[in-house]
Amino acid sequence: MAHIVGGFCVPHDPAITAFPEVANKRQAANIMAGFERVAKRVGELEADTAIVVGDDHFALFGPHCLPQFLIGIGDVEGPEENWMRFDRYPVPNNVPLAEHIMNYGFDHGFDWSVAKSLVLDHGTMIPVHLAVTPNPGVRTIPIYTASAVTPLLRLKRALALGRMIGDAVAAFPGNDRVVVMGCGGISHRVGTSDMGQVNQGFDQMILDMVVRGDVEAMTELDDAYVLREGGNGAFEIRNWIVAMGAMPRFRGEVICYEPIPEWITGLGLAELKLAA
């Protein structure tokens, strides 16, 4: 059967590639080194598939269609944005496993929205480009959650979604080796008067939960609290919850953290390592 062999929580800030020069050089270099570490670990884990969980930013969807969670099961390419400073390219999908996860979800109470073709925005494409693409042959299954625009996916539903994904992978008859990436956050504010404000205390609290593997505590956070302390961009912890929920027993290890107001975000990278 297929196995989840590792996981990661990473940012997807588009400024990482689009505006690297505006940030402190040391901080920007540390974030890039963090992504290089993630890419190296994907290779060391001999992963052949990455399930990448992000969220849309009114780039793919809009008021006409706001899926709570969507899986891409066919042709994939990215990025959707033309200002990311890298060209759009095809992203190989693991179609058999993606269709299996879709059907497993249907059979277990999760009514996926489904895309048979998908152009990824930065919510998934930044981690794909920096941590998956450097490993030739590794395929990507993109998953989008309602984590940026209301109505938001409920936190406990994000955890249930992650656990279902983990069960689905374990039920797949192939020998696939899978890593799961939760993408986004941590503290940031988008389109508000206080955009650029970063809350390092909030970010450290979230990273501490990751290190402890305490995903249940993360689901107990009140959205009003998250908005006040972490900003509207911090709602993206849902994607981290999905990744943590999909993992078997694990311990978290912080790779790096940088508060970068010029990139409007507190950026954290962590590995979810399988526990013995």
Side-chain angles (χ1 to χ4, degrees):
M1 66 180 185
H3 297 275
I4 291 179
V5 297
F8 304 90
C9 295
V10 299
H12 61 215
D13 190 332
I16 295 171
T17 63
F19 313 112
E21 69 280 356
V22 305
N24 173 280
K25 290 183 178 179
R26 181 199 61 78
Q27 290 182 297
N30 196 29
I31 293 300
M32 289 302 296
F35 269 108
E36 289 169 5
R37 174 61 180 163
V38 173
K40 182 179 179 182
R41 286 293 296 144
V42 170
E44 290 173 347
L45 292 166
E46 299 182 338
D48 55 60
T49 303
I51 297 174
V52 182
V53 186
D55 55 275
D56 178 52
H57 304 78
F58 271 173
L60 310 182
F61 314 119
H64 61 287
C65 181
L66 291 168
Q68 286 285 284
F69 41 86
L70 175 144
I71 186 167
I73 63 167
D75 296 333
V76 178
E77 59 183 57
E80 192 278 336
E81 301 95 336
N82 63 6
W83 43 267
M84 302 288 289
R85 293 194 185 177
F86 61 93
D87 293 333
R88 184 181 296 187
Y89 59 86
V91 176
N93 193 347
N94 186 337
V95 172
L97 180 56
E99 290 183 341
H100 167 80
I101 295 171
M102 175 192 71
N103 286 315
Y104 191 96
F106 288 156
D107 292 338
H108 290 82
F110 290 82
D111 295 326
W112 288 104
S113 294
V114 179
K116 292 187 175 181
S117 66
L118 193 61
V119 180
L120 307 181
D121 84 327
H122 71 268
T124 50
M125 193 63 198
I126 285 289
V128 168
H129 183 64
L130 296 179
V132 180
T133 300
N135 292 279
V138 178
R139 296 162 291 175
T140 295
I141 298 174
I143 290 175
Y144 277 83
T145 73
S147 299
V149 179
T150 58
L152 298 167
L153 180 65
R154 301 300 190 261
L155 292 171
K156 286 183 170 56
R157 188 61 167 166
L159 176 56
L161 176 65
R163 286 176 171 162
M164 180 276 290
I165 291 169
D167 291 343
V169 171
F172 188 64
N175 295 318
D176 305 67
R177 295 177 61 84
V178 179
V179 293
V180 184
M181 293 186 186
C183 312
I186 313 173
S187 67
H188 62 294
R189 303 164 192 273
V190 182
T192 61
S193 61
D194 55 359
M195 189 164 69
Q197 184 180 116
V198 173
N199 186 339
Q200 296 184 50
F202 175 87
D203 294 343
Q204 189 59 59
M205 178 189 72
I206 296 298
L207 290 170
D208 287 346
M209 291 178 182
V210 173
V211 169
R212 298 196 308 267
D214 196 353
V215 65
E216 287 81 7
M218 207 178 292
T219 68
E220 294 296 330
L221 295 174
D222 180 75
D223 277 342
Y225 169 81
V226 172
L227 179 61
R228 182 178 71 251
E229 299 297 324
N232 56 353
F235 290 142
E236 292 172 343
I237 61 171
R238 286 159 169 79
N239 302 326
W240 290 27
I241 288 171
V242 173
M244 293 168 71
M247 293 288 296
R249 291 173 56 87
F250 73 91
R251 59 181 178 84
E253 181 179 298
V254 175
I255 296 171
C256 67
Y257 169 76
E258 293 291 347
I260 307 183
E262 298 86 354
W263 286 353
I264 75 164
T265 308
L267 300 95
L269 293 88
E271 181 173 359
L272 312 177
K273 293 187 172 182
L274 293 180

